[in-house]
Amino acid sequence: MDAIRAESLVKEFGQTRALDQASIAIEKGELFFLLGASGCGKTTLLRCIAGLEIPDSGRVVYGDRDVTKLPTHKREAAMVFQSYALWPHMSVGENVAFGLEERKVPRKEINERVDEALAMVHLEGYYDRRIDHMSGGQQQRVALARALVVRPKCLLLDEPLSNLDAKLRLEMRREIRRIVKDNNLTGVYVTHDQEEALSMADRMAVLDAGRVVQMGTPDAIYRNPTSSHVAGFIGETNLIEATVDRIVRDDDELGLRVSSDFGEFHGRITRKGWRPSEGTKVLVSIRPEALHADNSGVPINRVRGQIKDRMYLGSNIQYRVHGAGDHLWSITETNPHIIRENGEEIVLTADPIDVTILKA
Ligand code: ATP
């Protein structure tokens, strides 16, 4: 395994700047996710890390080796593609062996290593099965075995689960994490599925327009987004405009009192070094699950409205609440004991720790 760094990568395709000074630092043995909206540059960044694309400027470093211009097979990295790129007319074993044959590895060693790779993905005994007689999930495992057989230090995965049905996707999330960890690999994984990233990643980077806008653990990014873009992209959130009234607390985390069309809010700042002064226009972000019904009469962090509609999901229920100025609030109640009717009045509140104040 190797640490991987991408330093200030720029990559343009004609008029399109796919990467714009993108930098990431991935630690040895980490499963790291690249996440962002379609076209934000995550595949281009992965391809630069893989050696399938050479950046116009910037460096890619594995451990202490500058690999920016090295071809993929000299980087000790293996890539798993969304399409799997398997040969349907060949057997499972032949597909997995292919990379080793190209490298002129002796036959006996090829056989041992193919068996070892098939065991890693729990496909022992499938050597002779034709690819087109394997299920989608099994084909995914063959694609993983083919990557693992070259004994890479880094495993690069480009939307590897998007061709699988929902149940298999869940199962393969655990499998891919196990394979990366059991084999001491450094994994870099591209997806636009935020739930996949939150549930699998050690850390992740969120990209926007070719730039890395935030990097951190899943819970740090979910709980402490530093921009409205990240707050809205990772999970759902309620965003409202407000104006800073005063600073409440100035230690590690800055507390702010802000006023809005919906009343006063008390929340915290997550963006390091940002010190908005009184009168600054800001955005208030509150996750749907952070709002709950409350009749205690506390005057701040309060939202009043009427239930507009609901979606019952068993473990939770999601309501849309019509608030002042026709604003629609999303709220989620977990383990719901009662189901509220449309039109019902509701008063909601959020703990200040769950209220994030962001740059407008
Ligand atoms: P998606 O989630 O849709 O796959 P992405 O975040 O992976 O998107 P990229 O595939 O990296 O985004 O593309 C970033 C930008 O660069 C897009 O505007 C895309 O159209 C452009 N782009 C990527 N590859 C090429 C190419 N080979 N030729 C021209 N433009 C390209």
Side-chain angles (χ1 to χ4, degrees), residues 103-120:
R103 286 166 207 222
K104 308 262 183 288
V105 175
R107 175 46 57 188
K108 184 164 173 291
E109 188 183 338
I110 291 183
N111 291 342
E112 282 167 13
R113 283 172 63 173
V114 170
D115 285 347
E116 177 191 285
L118 288 176
M120 279 178 201

Side-chain angles (χ1 to χ4, degrees), residues 13-14 16-18 36-45 53 158-159 190 192:
F13 298 102
T16 308
R17 184 167 268 228
S38 181
C40 70
K42 45 194 189 302
T43 301
T44 306
L45 179 51
E53 215 71 80
D158 189 5
E159 307 236 11
V190 162
H192 58 248

Side-chain angles (χ1 to χ4, degrees), residues 15-35:
Q15 299 292 322
T16 308
R17 184 167 268 228
L19 293 178
D20 186 10
Q21 304 286 340
S23 297
I24 49 170
I26 303 171
E27 286 166 24
K28 273 185 192 177
E30 222 178 9
L31 180 52
F32 192 95
F33 274 63
L34 303 177
L35 204 65

Side-chain angles (χ1 to χ4, degrees), residues 238-278:
N238 294 288
L239 277 178
I240 57 162
E241 294 172 353
T243 307
V244 175
D245 282 342
R246 64 191 163 91
I247 292 170
V248 179
R249 189 163 52 83
D250 195 358
D251 47 20
D252 269 3
E253 259 178 4
L254 195 64
L256 283 185
R257 206 52 104 87
V258 301
S259 53
S260 76
D261 291 349
F262 309 94
E264 264 196 291
F265 288 88
H266 182 174
R268 61 195 180 91
I269 281 184
T270 46
R271 195 186 187 99
K272 280 208 174 77
W274 184 47
R275 293 284 179 271
S277 50
E278 280 174 28

Side-chain angles (χ1 to χ4, degrees), residues 101-140:
E101 279 161 3
E102 272 203 317
R103 286 166 207 222
K104 308 262 183 288
V105 175
R107 175 46 57 188
K108 184 164 173 291
E109 188 183 338
I110 291 183
N111 291 342
E112 282 167 13
R113 283 172 63 173
V114 170
D115 285 347
E116 177 191 285
L118 288 176
M120 279 178 201
V121 299
H122 297 162
L123 281 183
E124 298 96 332
Y126 282 86
Y127 191 103
D128 293 319
R129 181 82 71 93
R130 276 173 59 123
I131 288 296
D132 50 6
H133 293 174
M134 302 283 276
S135 71
Q138 288 171 327
Q139 289 187 21
Q140 173 58 260

